[in-house]
Amino acid sequence: MQSNKVSIRQFFKYLKIAISGKEQEFTSGSIRKAVFMLSVPMILEMLMESIFAIVDVFYVSQVSVNAVATIGLTESVITLVYAVAIGLSMAATAVVARRIGEKDREGASQAAVQVIGLGVLVATIISIIGILFPKEILQLMGGEPDLIAEGYGYTQVLLGGNVTIMLLFLINAIFRGAGDASIAMWALVLSNGLNIILDPIFIFGLGPIPAFGVEGAAIATTIGRGTAVIFQLLVLFYGWSKIKVSFKDLVLRIAVMVNLIKVSLGGIGQFLIGTSSWVFLMRIMSEFGSEVLAGYTIAIRVMMFTLMPAWGMSNAAATLVGQNLGAQKPNRAEASVWKTGKYSAIFMGFVSIVYLIFAPQIISWFTQEPEVIIHGSLCLRIIAAGYVFYGYGMVIINAFNGAGDTKTPTWINFICFWLFQLPLAYITALTLDIGPLGVFIAITLAEVLITILGLIWFKKGHWKTTQV
C-alpha cells in the first residue's frame, strides 16, 4: 500500500514537471522518464489540436448537413497545406533536435528563422489561390451547387488565413525539437480556448456580430490560431525557451536554408503522397451523397481526437531520436522508439474497444440524421479495428523523420497509399459496388501495411547513419 502511494505521488510529481517544461535533459538517465516527460505535453498538444476539429463539427452540425460536408471537402484540400507544413516541420524538428543534442543552440536558432521564412513564403502563395478561387476548389472536389453556395466562405477564409496554420505547425515543431514540448502545448491551449469561445459567436451571431454560419467556424479558428502564433513569436524573441531568436538571426542563410529544404523535401513528398490519397478518397466518398460524406467527416474528426495522443507519443520519439543521435547515442535512440511504440499500441488498443462498442452513440453526439449515424459509425468501427497497428506505426514512421531520414517513410507511403490503398478503395467501392465500406476497409488495411513495412526497414538500422 505504501509503495502504491509513493508511485502515485511520483507520477503526479513527474506530470507537474512535464507540463511545466522544467525537464531539460533527454540524452541521459531513464529512457522511460524521458519518454514520459516529452510525451505528456505532446499528447496534450495534439489533443488540443484535435479539439479544434471536434468543436467545429459540433457547432457546424447544428447548421446543416451541407455545412459539415463543406468542412470535409475543404479540409481534404487543406491537408495539402498540412503536407507542406508537416514536411517543413519534420525538417525543423530533426535539425533543431540534432543541434540541441550537439549543444549548438546558435545553430538551432538559425535553423528556426530559416524554416519560419520558408513557411511564410509558401503560405502567401496558398492564400492568394484560396482567396481568389474558393468556389472552383469546392467544385473540383465534387461539391454540389447548393453546398458550394453555402460553404465557399469557409474555404475562402481558411485557405486565405493559412499562414496561421503553417506557422503554428512550424514553430511548435521547433519547440518540440528543442525539447520544449510544454511551450508548444500551451500555444495550442491558447488557440483552442479562443476557438471554443469564438465558434458559437461567429457561427450563430451575438450582439453586433452577425451569424456567419459555417464561415464563422473558419473565422474563429483563424483568430485562435493567429493569436497563438503571436504568443509563439514572443517566446522565441524573448528567449523563454531553449531557443532565442535575435535580430541578427533575421538574415537569409543559404547553407542552413538548403539543408532544411533538402531534409523537408522527403517529408513534403511523404505527406503529399498521404494527403493527396486522402483527397482522392474524399472524391470517391462524394459519389455517395452528402449524408455519407457528413458521416465520414464526423467519424474522421472523432478518430483524430484519439489518434492525436499516438501522434504526440510519435513526436516524442522523433525528438528523442534526433537529440540522442546528435549526442552520439544511437542505441539509446533505438531503445526510445521501442518503448514509445509499445506505450502507443497499448493506448490505441483500449480506444479501439470503446469505438467498436459505442460507435453509434458517439456519432449521435454530433448529429441526429439516421443515415449520417449509420455511415459514420460504420466508418468508426472499421478503421478502429486497425488502431493497435496505427499506434505502433506512427511511432516507427516518425522515428525515421526524427533522424532526418524522410526518404524511407516516403517510399513506404507511396507503396501503401498509391499502389495499394487507392486502387483497393476504387475497385471495392465503385467497381465491385461495395460502397463506402470498401473505402473504410482500404484505409484500415493500408495502415496495417505501413506498420509492417516500417518495422522491417527500422530493424535494418540505416536511419542511424543519416546526417542533417
Side-chain angles (χ1 to χ4, degrees):
M1 180 68 77
Q2 187 66 32
S3 62
N4 285 341
K5 288 182 179 178
V6 172
S7 297
I8 292 169
R9 276 203 304 270
Q10 192 174 45
F11 171 81
F12 282 106
K13 176 187 173 185
Y14 286 162
L15 183 66
K16 184 179 179 181
I17 294 170
I19 293 173
S20 67
K22 291 178 181 176
E23 181 71 27
Q24 299 291 319
E25 179 55 53
F26 303 108
T27 57
S28 61
S30 167
I31 292 177
R32 181 179 295 179
K33 182 182 174 184
V35 170
F36 182 84
M37 291 297 175
L38 278 172
S39 291
V40 166
M42 287 184 183
I43 288 170
L44 292 174
E45 178 197 349
M46 294 298 107
L47 280 174
M48 291 299 105
E49 182 64 32
S50 64
I51 286 173
F52 262 126
I54 295 290
V55 169
D56 279 355
V57 163
F58 177 78
Y59 286 119
V60 168
S61 64
Q62 299 173 41
V63 178
S64 69
V65 171
N66 272 345
V68 178
T70 296
I71 289 182
L73 292 179
T74 302
E75 293 226 339
S76 66
V77 173
I78 215 164
T79 48
L80 299 175
V81 178
Y82 292 152
V84 178
I86 292 171
L88 285 171
S89 70
M90 281 192 292
T93 297
V95 173
V96 169
R98 193 69 68 94
R99 297 294 91 84
I100 292 294
E102 295 166 350
K103 311 300 182 188
D104 180 12
R105 296 199 178 192
E106 186 178 351
S109 298
Q110 291 173 1
V113 170
Q114 302 309 305
V115 80
I116 290 171
L118 275 171
V120 171
L121 177 63
V122 173
T124 302
I125 297 168
I126 295 167
S127 290
I128 293 169
I129 297 170
I131 291 168
L132 296 179
F133 306 108
K135 293 180 180 178
E136 289 80 359
I137 289 169
L138 287 175
Q139 188 175 26
L140 187 66
M141 287 302 299
E144 297 166 1
D146 59 331
L147 181 149
I148 295 171
E150 183 180 345
Y152 79 91
Y154 178 89
T155 307
Q156 191 172 47
V157 172
L158 209 60
L159 286 175
N162 83 94
V163 67
T164 61
I165 299 171
M166 188 75 72
L167 291 185
L168 197 60
F169 261 102
L170 294 184
I171 301 175
N172 269 0
I174 291 165
F175 290 141
R176 285 195 298 269
D180 289 320
S182 65
I183 297 175
M185 177 196 73
W186 287 114
L188 264 293
V189 169
L190 173 61
S191 63
N192 223 356
L194 283 173
N195 186 58
I196 290 170
I197 294 167
L198 297 177
D199 244 352
I201 294 173
F202 282 98
I203 292 172
F204 305 113
L206 181 69
I209 300 173
F212 286 95
V214 67
E215 183 181 346
I219 295 171
T221 297
T222 302
I223 292 173
R225 283 182 166 140
T227 305
V229 168
I230 293 170
F231 165 74
Q232 290 174 318
L233 292 173
L234 288 173
V235 171
L236 284 177
F237 276 95
Y238 280 94
W240 298 333
S241 73
K242 284 185 183 179
I243 295 180
K244 186 180 189 306
V245 172
S246 59
F247 286 103
K248 68 179 176 62
D249 295 316
L250 302 179
V251 294
L252 178 65
R253 299 178 190 276
I254 299 297
V256 178
M257 181 78 77
V258 169
N259 186 39
L260 280 165
I261 292 172
K262 186 174 71 173
V263 176
S264 67
L265 281 177
I268 292 169
Q270 176 188 146
F271 275 85
L272 277 176
I273 289 168
T275 53
S276 61
S277 72
W278 205 254
V279 170
F280 284 117
L281 287 179
M282 187 62 83
R283 184 67 183 85
I284 293 172
M285 293 297 294
S286 69
E287 294 291 317
F288 303 106
S290 289
E291 285 80 9
V292 172
L293 200 58
Y296 176 65
T297 300
I298 291 171
I300 295 300
R301 288 299 186 93
V302 170
M303 285 168 46
M304 291 302 290
F305 188 76
T306 43
L307 282 174
M308 286 303 173
W311 270 115
M313 283 185 264
S314 74
N315 283 334
T319 297
L320 288 168
V321 166
Q323 290 199 10
N324 281 292
L325 288 180
Q328 304 297 313
K329 297 180 178 180
N331 292 335
R332 181 180 170 86
E334 182 175 356
S336 301
V337 175
W338 293 126
K339 281 187 181 294
T340 311
K342 182 179 74 173
Y343 302 148
S344 180
I346 292 169
F347 169 78
M348 296 301 279
F350 282 116
V351 173
S352 67
I353 294 170
V354 174
Y355 282 173
L356 289 168
I357 297 172
F358 299 109
Q361 291 88 338
I362 293 170
I363 299 297
S364 66
W365 293 344
F366 300 90
T367 180
Q368 295 303 311
E369 294 282 339
E371 283 295 310
V372 177
I373 293 172
I374 289 170
H375 293 291
S377 57
L378 178 65
C379 176
L380 202 56
R381 280 174 167 156
I382 297 296
I383 298 180
Y387 255 28
V388 171
F389 289 91
Y390 293 6
Y392 221 111
M394 284 180 188
V395 171
I396 294 295
I397 294 299
N398 230 16
F400 288 117
N401 294 325
D405 176 13
T406 53
K407 290 181 181 177
T408 298
T410 302
W411 280 109
I412 292 173
N413 278 6
F414 177 75
I415 292 167
C416 297
F417 289 138
W418 282 8
L419 300 186
F420 179 77
Q421 185 189 74
L422 287 179
L424 181 62
Y426 184 87
I427 291 168
T428 54
L430 300 176
T431 306
L432 299 179
D433 205 24
I434 294 177
L437 177 62
V439 177
F440 306 153
I441 291 171
I443 292 170
T444 300
L445 292 180
E447 293 293 343
V448 172
L449 184 60
I450 284 173
T451 303
I452 293 170
L453 294 181
L455 284 168
I456 292 170
W457 259 305
F458 185 78
K459 285 183 176 179
K460 292 180 184 294
H462 300 311
W463 54 273
K464 295 178 183 177
T465 60
T466 305
Q467 299 296 317
V468 295

